[in-house]
Each structure stands twice: as structure tokens, then as C-alpha cells.
Amino acid sequence: MVPDISEIDWGRPWYDTVRPACESLVPGGAGFIDAFNANAARLGLQNHHGLPIRFVPQDHLPAGTAYEAFIGATGGVPTRDNLHDFFNGLVWQTFPLIKRELNALQAAQIAASGVGKSRGPARDAATLFDENAALLVVRDSDGGRVLVEGLRAHRWHEVLYSQRARFLGDAQVWLFGHALMEKLVAPRKAITAHTRVLFAGDAWFALGWQERRDWIDMTLAGSLAEGGLSTADFTPLQVLGVPGWWPGQDEAFYLDETVFRPKKEKK
């Protein structure tokens, strides 16, 4: 089955991150694996062992072998003809260094502890990142830190509505999670990302798209290689609440506490 890519509305701002990778694909064959592999070769994608990344049919994954361990051992990324794996391939082509470090973390955890019924905290965090992350790049300034503090405190109305102009000037959201992108093919107000914050200097905001993307890829990959990952690194962000990303973002939109929920008080 070839996924119905026509379902994707590429005009939506949440697809800005992977749109260039999609536009660079050269059509051919019955599916998209050949086009992905042409891009992977052109970009020189590698896993953490230096093996070339190749997209392979799902049935290349041996029974009983963990997906992440297989990528780490062979460089092959088992890929099905569906939207979920289509977006996964685009993220590999967009943020190859981050994907490499996430796979290295997952493979190391599997080698140490096996697959088991429970992933453990490190693998849980890596899976959340891989599947559902957004990257929030914020200006390294007093104003930028105020925005982040507000988001972590779930002061949604303040940050996304009252301080909308500051958010638009001092913050950018780049989607990473491929399951998140798949969900947003049919957007719903409640769709929420696990968001990782990166602070950047003024110069970053003046760079071109590719230079900003490369900085994110190198900076976050370096952070993952040095310190791993924890679920505490994430803060929630409702994707349709990002200023300018959805029509009708009036005050009532952000006062809907079924979606923009206040932070629970610790007992």
C-alpha cells in the first residue's frame, strides 16, 4: 500500500520543517523507499557506527529483533508504505544528527537491558522525543526566558495570546516527531507536542532556513550525546495554539481549559 500523501496539506505551517525534504524527493517506483535512499546517499546519512542509512522494507527486520537495535547494527531503517513511516523518513533527511543520537541511545539501552515489557526512563524519553517532539527555539534574552517560564507554568493565555507579539518575535517552533506529524494530517485542537526548548542568540534568527536547521541539528545532537535525555526535558505545547498556526485564535480559543489546562498544584 502506498500512503495517500495527497492527504497532507503542505500549506500548514507545522510541515515547514520537513517540506524541503519532501520537495527534494525524486519520484520513482511503486513506493517512496527508492526516493528516500537516493536522498540518504546524496546527504551521506550514517548511523552512530558510521554505517550508511538505508531505508528497507519492513520484512527485512528479523523476527525478535528490536527496530532500534537493527538500525544500530545495520544502518537499515525498516519502512512501511504508510504516512507514519513516510514522515519518519523525512525527519531522517531533515535532522540526521538528532536521529542518529536518538538511535544510539535506544540501541545502547537495548544492548544493556534488553527489550523487556518496560522501556525504562531513558528509552521512554527517547521514544517520546522521536514520536511526538516539537523543538522550540527561543531567543536567549530576558524576554525569551519569560516565555519559557510561562509555558512551563502552563500560563497559556499569557504566553500565546497576551504576549503573542513577543512569541512571534522571540520563538520558533520546528516539529520533529513523525507520529505528531501524522496526527496533524487531521488537525485537532487538543493535539499536544512534547516540546524541547533550545535557546539561541540573536544571530540565529537572522540566518536562512538551512543554516537555522543545521544549527538545531548539531546543537541538539551534541546535547543528546553528552547528557542523554529525560522526560523532564519536555514541556507540553498545543500545536494549534502556536500563534499564527490556526485560524480563530481569539481570546476564547486560549481560555478553553479542556485543551489549555492549568498546571496541577503539587500536593
Side-chain angles (χ1 to χ4, degrees), residues 178-220:
H178 54 282
L180 178 63
M181 295 181 193
E182 181 187 19
K183 285 186 285 187
L184 284 161
V185 170
R188 293 177 292 105
K189 188 177 179 182
I191 294 174
T192 301
H194 289 79
T195 305
R196 176 74 178 255
V197 175
L198 296 87
F199 287 99
D202 291 340
W204 182 86
F205 289 84
L207 295 174
W209 183 90
Q210 184 169 325
E211 289 78 14
R212 280 178 283 140
R213 186 275 311 271
D214 290 347
W215 180 89
I216 293 172
D217 198 27
M218 290 186 290
T219 300
L220 192 44

Side-chain angles (χ1 to χ4, degrees), residues 21 46 61 86 102 111 145 156 192 196 233 237 246 249 252:
Q46 296 181 344
L61 178 64
F86 176 73
L102 283 174
R145 293 183 183 279
W156 314 114
T192 301
R196 176 74 178 255
D233 295 329
L237 179 62
W246 192 249
Q249 291 179 330

Side-chain angles (χ1 to χ4, degrees), residues 16-238:
D16 288 352
T17 303
V18 294
R19 187 185 302 110
C22 183
E23 291 175 345
S24 72
L25 295 173
V26 177
F32 50 77
I33 285 181
D34 288 346
F36 278 6
N37 282 328
N39 264 5
R42 176 177 60 82
L43 296 168
L45 303 190
Q46 296 181 344
N47 73 1
H48 56 288
H49 291 307
L51 296 172
I53 289 295
R54 298 168 297 109
F55 296 89
V56 301
Q58 180 70 21
D59 60 14
H60 284 212
L61 178 64
T65 300
Y67 170 88
E68 298 90 349
F70 182 78
I71 298 172
T74 71
V77 180
T79 302
R80 302 160 296 182
D81 283 329
N82 60 27
L83 285 172
H84 187 87
D85 288 4
F86 176 73
F87 284 121
N88 184 49
L90 294 183
V91 177
W92 266 106
Q93 294 161 61
T94 303
F95 292 119
L97 302 182
I98 300 174
K99 291 288 280 187
R100 182 191 69 192
E101 293 304 328
L102 283 174
N103 177 244
L105 190 159
Q106 293 266 33
Q109 290 291 316
I110 291 169
S113 307
V115 177
K117 293 183 179 179
S118 175
R119 291 190 179 99
R123 285 192 67 207
D124 276 344
T127 300
L128 284 173
F129 194 114
D130 199 29
E131 297 280 347
N132 201 59
L135 311 176
L136 177 64
V137 185
V138 181
R139 195 180 302 275
D140 192 359
S141 65
D142 290 343
R145 293 183 183 279
V146 166
L147 290 177
V148 174
E149 290 169 5
L151 287 174
R152 293 199 185 281
H154 298 187
R155 297 197 298 268
W156 314 114
H157 178 273
E158 173 190 324
V159 175
L160 302 175
Y161 182 76
S162 300
Q163 298 185 22
R164 182 185 191 90
R166 173 178 283 175
F167 191 101
L168 291 168
D170 288 349
Q172 290 185 15
V173 179
W174 296 59
L175 293 201
F176 182 90
H178 54 282
L180 178 63
M181 295 181 193
E182 181 187 19
K183 285 186 285 187
L184 284 161
V185 170
R188 293 177 292 105
K189 188 177 179 182
I191 294 174
T192 301
H194 289 79
T195 305
R196 176 74 178 255
V197 175
L198 296 87
F199 287 99
D202 291 340
W204 182 86
F205 289 84
L207 295 174
W209 183 90
Q210 184 169 325
E211 289 78 14
R212 280 178 283 140
R213 186 275 311 271
D214 290 347
W215 180 89
I216 293 172
D217 198 27
M218 290 186 290
T219 300
L220 192 44
S223 175
L224 292 173
E226 291 173 4
L229 189 63
S230 164
T231 53
D233 295 329
F234 303 123
T235 192
L237 179 62
Q238 302 84 351

